[in-house]
């Protein structure tokens, strides 16, 4: 079984245009993501999938395998699907291109153990517990519920499950590291948003709208350090400088 990690690298971020190229300790952000992920055992290959020649050229200068994709994809899953037409693998893991300190443990957890089904749509989604009330209430954190076998039942921007009969509840949130077999990506690219996806604005709900199998893998609590603003970028730069001095 061949497993590929794909880093969607879009140039036109609304809040921080060109952020895959933003410099962190003399290297572009995408280089840091690639370096962390390319060292993970179990990932047979790691590629960037971009929509911009400037990012493609930067990847080539830094020795990062990269493919060009359309600038018109609305979601990372669509970009992964197009990349999968050029990168042959059995399973594709979406790696967040705006997380230069992406958790290796979370990525490892997304690598399937044993054989994966190839005859039907199948996906893996990494989740982590969250107890901070501010994060639980934050609409940008996607909360998830699942059955006893960790099959996804629902995702919402609101806190779920609701503690009506019991306060003994642990909330889990979607981390953003998702794995797909080829059939799952083909389904996504060929389908339209379902009812729940249109209501919540969560594109991963499409799989649940259409009854596809999405397994949730919990990892220990992790703080996601995605770079969305100049302030986020400065924070990551400071952290990287501290790490380099410590080494």
């Amino acid at each position: 079984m061949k497993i590929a990690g794909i880093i969607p690298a879009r140039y036109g971020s609304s809040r921080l245009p060109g952020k895959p190229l933003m410099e962190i300790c003399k290297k572009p952000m995408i280089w840091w993501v690639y370096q962390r992920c390319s060292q993970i055992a179990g990932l047979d290959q790691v590629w960037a999938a971009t929509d911009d020649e400037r990012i493609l050229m930067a990847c080539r200068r830094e020795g990062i395998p990269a493919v060009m994709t359309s600038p018109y994809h609305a979601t990372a899953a669509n970009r992964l699907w197009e990349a999968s037409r050029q990168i042959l693998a059995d399973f594709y893991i979406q790696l967040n291109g705006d997380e230069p300190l992406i958790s290796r443990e979370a990525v490892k957890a997304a690598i399937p153990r044993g054989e994966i089904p190839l005859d039907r749509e199948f996906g893996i989604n990494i989740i982590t517990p969250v107890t901070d009330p501010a994060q639980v209430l934050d609409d940008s954190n996607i909360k998830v519920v699942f059955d006893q076998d960790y099959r996804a039942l629902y995702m919402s921007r609101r806190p779920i499950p609701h503690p009506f009969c019991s306060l003994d509840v642990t909330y889990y949130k979607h981390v953003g590291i998702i794995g797909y077999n080829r059939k799952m990506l083909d389904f996504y690219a060929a389908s339209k948003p379902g009812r729940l996806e249109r209501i919540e604005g969560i594109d991963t709900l499409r799989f649940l709208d259409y009854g596809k199998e999405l397994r949730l893998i919990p990892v220990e609590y992790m703080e996601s350090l995605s770079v969305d603003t100049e302030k986020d970028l400065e924070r990551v730069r400071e952290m990287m400088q501290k790490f380099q001095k410590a080494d």
Side-chain angles (χ1 to χ4, degrees):
M1 180 173 61
K2 193 170 185 179
I3 300 174
I6 309 294
I7 308 169
R10 184 170 64 95
Y11 189 90
S13 167
S14 58
R15 287 186 285 180
L16 199 61
K19 66 180 174 180
L21 301 179
M22 297 292 180
E23 185 179 290
I24 301 173
C25 297
K26 300 182 180 179
K27 289 288 186 180
M29 186 186 306
I30 194 168
W31 182 88
W32 292 99
V33 179
Y34 175 78
Q35 285 299 310
R36 288 183 70 81
C37 294
S38 63
Q39 299 170 16
I40 295 174
L43 279 183
D44 298 297
Q45 50 186 326
V46 177
W47 290 72
T50 186
D51 63 350
D52 192 274
E53 286 285 347
R54 288 163 288 188
I55 297 175
L56 183 68
M57 292 299 103
C59 287
R60 289 177 176 171
R61 285 194 301 271
E62 300 294 345
I64 301 170
V67 294
M68 280 292 292
T69 55
S70 169
Y72 302 111
H73 290 311
T75 68
N78 280 126
R79 197 171 304 284
L80 254 70
W81 172 79
E82 185 180 349
S84 76
R85 305 299 91 191
Q86 305 175 64
I87 302 165
L88 296 181
D90 300 302
F91 199 73
Y92 299 85
I93 298 177
Q94 177 182 311
L95 306 170
N96 301 326
D98 59 0
E99 291 190 23
L101 291 169
I102 189 169
S103 166
R104 291 192 183 101
E105 294 306 312
V107 175
K108 287 178 186 176
I111 297 173
R113 305 295 184 261
E115 293 299 315
I116 61 168
L118 300 178
D119 59 342
R120 67 180 189 277
E121 295 88 352
F122 176 79
I124 288 175
N125 194 346
I126 302 305
I127 60 174
T128 192
V130 53
T131 56
D132 179 359
Q135 289 199 28
V136 172
L137 295 172
D138 186 346
D139 287 353
S140 66
N141 287 325
I142 308 303
K143 275 68 71 174
V144 299
V145 291
F146 43 85
D147 68 13
Q148 62 183 3
D149 294 318
Y150 287 94
R151 288 184 294 242
L153 296 175
Y154 193 60
M155 301 181 175
S156 179
R157 298 186 182 279
R158 304 305 297 158
I160 53 173
H162 180 70
F164 181 71
C165 292
S166 172
L167 296 178
D168 183 18
V169 56
T170 299
Y171 293 100
Y172 286 85
K173 70 175 182 177
H174 157 95
V175 170
I177 298 172
I178 311 176
Y180 313 85
N181 67 3
R182 183 176 293 276
K183 278 188 173 293
M184 194 73 129
L185 283 174
D186 287 344
F187 156 76
Y188 186 94
S191 62
K192 295 181 179 179
R195 181 176 63 90
L196 299 175
E197 178 183 353
R198 294 195 303 271
I199 292 170
E200 292 264 14
I202 302 170
D203 73 304
T204 313
L205 274 173
R206 188 175 312 184
F207 305 120
L208 307 187
D209 265 319
Y210 292 94
K212 306 306 178 184
E213 183 178 3
L214 186 65
R215 294 276 177 165
L216 303 182
I217 308 293
V219 298
E220 291 185 8
Y221 176 77
M222 52 166 285
E223 181 65 38
S224 178
L225 295 173
S226 60
V227 175
D228 295 313
T229 64
E230 287 284 355
K231 186 176 180 180
D232 296 334
L233 182 61
E234 287 307 314
R235 182 184 176 196
V236 169
R237 282 171 173 162
E238 290 173 4
M239 293 177 69
M240 288 290 199
Q241 289 170 356
K242 289 178 181 177
F243 291 153
Q244 289 188 334
K245 288 178 181 177
D247 291 340

